[in-house]
Amino acid sequence: MESTGATGGSVRRSPLDLIMNQIRRKRSDRRPLGRLLSWASERTVIREDEPDAKVQSPAVPESDEEQGMGWGRVRAFLHRFGSETEKGRINLSHCDLTATDLLELGTLLPYVPLLEDLDLSWNDLIGGSLRALSSHLNHMNCLSALRLSGCRLNHQDLSALGDALSCLPSVEVLDLSWNGALGGGGLQGLVGKLQPTLTELHLVACELTAADGTSLGEILSSMSCLSVLDLSCNPNFTDGVKDVCSALSKNTSLKTLRLQAVGLAPLSLQALGESLQFVPSLRLLDLSCNKGLSGHLSLLSPHLSHLSLLETLDLHLSGLTRSDIQALVQVLPSLISLTDLNVSSNQETGDTVHTLIPALPLTHMKRLPLNNCDLTHKSYTALVVAVPYLRCVDVSWCKVVGGRLLLLLEALQPSVLQELRLSSCELNTQDIQHLASVCHGGFLSSLRVLDLSYNGSVGSNGWSSLFTSGGLGSLEELDLSLRPITSAPCSDWLPALLRALPRLTALKRLGLQRWTIGGQEKLQLDHSLRKRNVLLEMDTEETSQDKEIQPEE
């Protein structure tokens, strides 16, 4: 492409210039007044000298012909971003929408009056321009779910959103996660604006502070139908948790409460415990990644007895101590509906798990992840009692498993286990051969996930026996990757894997990182997976053999 300079000469533009021009054009489109389609300008009037002026809503289509033309525009708009039209739903997440795109979408909303679910998540260029859309939401009476996570919303956006939500009677799901402006007072723009019909509120990683607890408490006090509240990943919220707990007496329908990494401290933990009596319908309680739990779980555990319907309790990565586990053991008999208990990544619990197992309602249990718990032999032996009932067994990073896998495998019941994670367990060849025998016997016919990564001591005979055993027809994910600092050739057992692939009809992901492979072998593997839509995770660095052998035409 050429352009004429001031001297009349011809200047050739480099490809870099073209790319930079496109980037600058994309950036300029962040202003909602940057460009308007001609047909949209007939319906919407915005004066550029009044950037804060309200956007005038377009006329609702009156004739069937106009409605049909509008629907065609909606389909064309979605197609431009690789999105398909779905009944009652528009999904434009991760589409790099600009402010101008947002304005155009607003003018199209009257043509989808029955829209129920609008997802604009992870479009960070629309931050600061939400009013261009929110002014068109007033007539969307059927809208029940609005998702705006990761959009860099600012305080003006939140104020405009609050005004729009006050006119939407049917909204049940609101996701504003990963918008930092909600912290530091941004929540105030939503106080008194949300409908009492709201059933789900997601505010993950919104940089909420203790001062925001007051606003959030006011919001929650009016939500008698709320069933899901997620405030995870707000580490500075600490004292704000107390305001939330005070409002829980009005949220008696709450079924899911996620407080992962919210900086729980002893005082907020005690307030949470005292509030649990008001939410007897709670099914899921996530308190993971809160170091403030360490040594203080006894402030909460006695109150857990109010939660007879609780199914999932997540306490992973919380620095639990032996005394914490003992406090938990005391209340577990009251949790008669518990199916999922996660105390993984708590190193000090490894030698107390044997006291935990007998207190569990074993016949109900489906998940009991104990990865990275530094299990002792006594605790590992106690786990065997729970294995027949579990859908997921995860003892990754527990070195005690190596050489003792047979003890766990012998406790399996046919067609029960769906996930088996044994990453970095120092497994040996004999362990994998025992696993192959169990597969051949049909005990793992329902297995969907098998993680055997970071077990470099397994020999080729072990891997070959696993692939020749059969019995893994439901397997969707298989990971045999080696540690990042190691590598090894897979030529000896790769033929067995290639022969097994046609029988692994459900396979969707295969991890073989750090295994080295020759060029011809790589072609055979690619050929076997090409028509299977299997994600192959393997190092892309070519060996010398890879460079010499070219694929056949």
Side-chain angles (χ1 to χ4, degrees), residues 12-206:
R12 183 174 298 276
R13 299 171 62 189
S14 71
L16 180 61
D17 291 330
L18 297 176
I19 294 173
M20 293 305 296
N21 265 348
Q22 292 177 359
I23 293 176
R24 283 191 289 269
R25 188 177 305 154
K26 190 81 170 179
R27 295 286 184 187
S28 66
D29 280 347
R30 292 188 65 172
R31 295 186 59 189
L33 309 177
R35 59 176 172 86
L36 291 176
L37 297 181
S38 59
W39 62 269
S41 63
E42 296 173 1
R43 292 172 163 78
T44 307
V45 179
I46 304 178
R47 292 181 57 186
E48 296 198 6
D49 58 344
E50 298 181 10
D52 295 329
K54 290 185 178 181
V55 182
Q56 190 175 2
S57 297
V60 177
E62 298 179 355
S63 66
D64 293 341
E65 181 180 358
E66 186 177 1
Q67 180 69 43
M69 293 175 60
W71 178 241
R73 289 169 178 162
V74 173
R75 295 185 63 183
F77 179 82
L78 297 178
H79 182 71
R80 199 164 77 218
F81 296 99
S83 181
E84 298 295 331
T85 55
E86 300 178 37
K87 184 178 181 181
R89 187 167 192 261
I90 290 180
N91 185 357
L92 289 169
S93 61
H94 297 90
C95 284
D96 291 328
L97 297 180
T98 65
T100 308
D101 298 324
L102 198 65
L103 177 60
E104 184 178 345
L105 174 61
T107 62
L108 294 173
L109 289 181
Y111 300 109
V112 282
L114 300 181
L115 183 66
E116 298 177 359
D117 190 332
L118 178 60
D119 189 350
L120 303 177
S121 299
W122 303 106
N123 289 289
D124 57 1
L125 294 179
I126 67 177
S129 308
L130 193 61
R131 189 174 295 276
L133 175 71
S134 62
S135 60
H136 296 272
L137 290 174
N138 297 339
H139 304 292
M140 308 303 296
N141 293 328
C142 295
L143 191 66
S144 61
L146 180 60
R147 309 175 201 276
L148 294 166
S149 60
C151 289
R152 291 190 181 180
L153 303 182
N154 60 27
H155 285 198
Q156 289 75 25
D157 292 325
L158 295 172
S159 178
L161 178 62
D163 293 339
L165 289 171
S166 64
C167 302
L168 297 175
S170 301
V171 173
E172 298 178 354
V173 178
L174 180 62
D175 189 349
L176 301 177
S177 300
W178 299 94
N179 286 291
L182 279 160
L187 268 178
Q188 189 62 38
L190 300 179
V191 174
K193 303 296 180 63
L194 302 185
Q195 301 288 345
T197 55
L198 200 70
T199 61
E200 292 189 25
L201 180 60
H202 301 267
L203 300 175
V204 179
C206 289

Side-chain angles (χ1 to χ4, degrees), residues 384-440:
V384 172
V385 179
V387 167
Y389 308 100
L390 299 178
R391 303 292 188 274
C392 171
V393 172
D394 187 351
V395 288
S396 296
W397 302 91
C398 294
K399 308 306 181 184
V400 69
V401 181
R404 301 181 180 88
L405 183 60
L406 181 60
L407 183 65
L408 185 150
L409 296 176
E410 288 180 335
L412 292 175
Q413 293 295 313
S415 304
V416 173
L417 196 64
Q418 297 178 0
E419 291 186 32
L420 180 57
R421 299 184 182 274
L422 302 168
S423 177
S424 191
C425 285
E426 295 188 355
L427 301 181
N428 55 36
T429 300
Q430 192 174 27
D431 288 325
I432 300 301
Q433 289 173 336
H434 289 316
L435 178 61
S437 178
V438 169
C439 291
H440 183 70

Side-chain angles (χ1 to χ4, degrees), residues 490-508:
C490 61
S491 301
D492 290 342
W493 54 264
L494 186 63
L497 172 61
L498 294 174
R499 290 191 297 270
L501 284 175
R503 300 193 300 273
L504 300 178
T505 55
L507 193 65
K508 297 178 181 177

